[in-house]
Amino acid sequence: MRTRSLLALAGTVTALTVAAAVPAAADGAAVLTTGAAGGTAAAVGDTLTAPLAAGTSATLYSSPTGTSGVSCTSSQFTATVASNPAAPGTATESVTGHSFNASSCTSNVTGVLGVSAITVDNLPYTATVASDGTLTVSPASGSTVQTTVKLRTLLGTITCVYRASGLTGKADNSDSSISFTNQQFTKSSGSSLCFANGYFTAKYAPVTDAGAPVYVN
């Protein structure tokens, strides 16, 4: 059976995710800068945050081209800058938070009445952001990127657990965004109402550091 709501799972990443926008090669600049491409380097220890891009949803659908699953309109990630070398190069971050507001989530699976909770597990994750805008999210050694979804049904609450070995996204300097498209998760446990595979799509923007947009160089 299916569901149509959002599942920013991993989002996770619960969730997902961290860095900033796509590259604008600036010799001598750090990989991550604030205010402008080639601007002030984001300092190690700085906190980066981003909500879903305005007017978009985070979705976990049962197929790459389908619309059956979970969809949410409110989600946010938080990450801490761990390293930020000169460009071209690769910056690293620790993804410490990836949340979804269950009240903004819906599901279109037969027998499902609503979404009780979506939790991104096994945090923190490590995120790398390369000068070409490639973003990679990885769990700790021996762990997985995992999201737990609790759905209300006619027979009570069911729990669906989804896992992925990692996530790959793209940063874009045009709007200081990070996007994930059809990132595949596999059901680890759950009832037949939990689809076997979940494909996660979401766009987070703007990525900011103390309110200033973040750029990738």
Side-chain angles (χ1 to χ4, degrees):
M1 306 182 99
R2 305 149 160 224
T3 190
R4 169 198 189 160
S5 296
L6 126 49
L7 192 353
L9 251 290
T12 56
V13 94
T14 220
L16 90 295
T17 355
V18 302
V22 262
D27 292 341
V31 174
L32 301 179
T33 59
T34 63
T40 303
V44 171
D46 280 4
T47 298
L48 309 182
T49 60
L52 284 177
T56 70
S57 297
T59 58
L60 187 73
Y61 288 153
S62 59
S63 71
T65 58
T67 57
S68 174
V70 175
S71 174
C72 302
T73 58
S74 178
S75 175
Q76 178 170 300
F77 79 74
T78 303
T80 301
V81 177
S83 69
N84 188 20
T90 300
T92 60
E93 304 167 359
S94 176
V95 181
T96 56
H98 190 183
S99 62
F100 296 85
N101 184 340
S103 66
S104 77
C105 302
T106 57
S107 171
N108 61 353
V109 170
T110 302
V112 173
L113 304 177
V115 179
S116 296
I118 296 177
T119 305
V120 177
D121 308 312
N122 301 338
L123 293 169
Y125 300 141
T126 296
T128 61
V129 186
S131 288
D132 66 358
T134 300
L135 169 68
T136 302
V137 179
S138 305
S141 177
S143 185
T144 60
V145 173
Q146 178 175 297
T147 296
T148 299
V149 183
K150 293 188 176 182
L151 303 173
R152 298 191 306 275
T153 75
L154 295 172
L155 300 177
T157 299
I158 63 170
T159 300
C160 309
V161 178
Y162 294 92
R163 292 176 176 172
S165 59
L167 303 174
T168 300
K170 192 70 175 178
D172 187 343
N173 279 349
S174 66
D175 55 2
S176 291
S177 67
I178 292 175
S179 299
F180 298 92
T181 303
N182 287 333
Q183 297 298 289
Q184 185 176 0
F185 286 78
T186 301
K187 183 176 77 172
S188 172
S189 63
S191 80
S192 59
L193 289 178
C194 308
F195 37 86
N197 292 290
Y199 293 85
F200 175 65
T201 296
K203 179 178 180 178
Y204 290 87
V207 178
T208 60
D209 179 349
V214 178
Y215 295 83
V216 177
N217 302 276

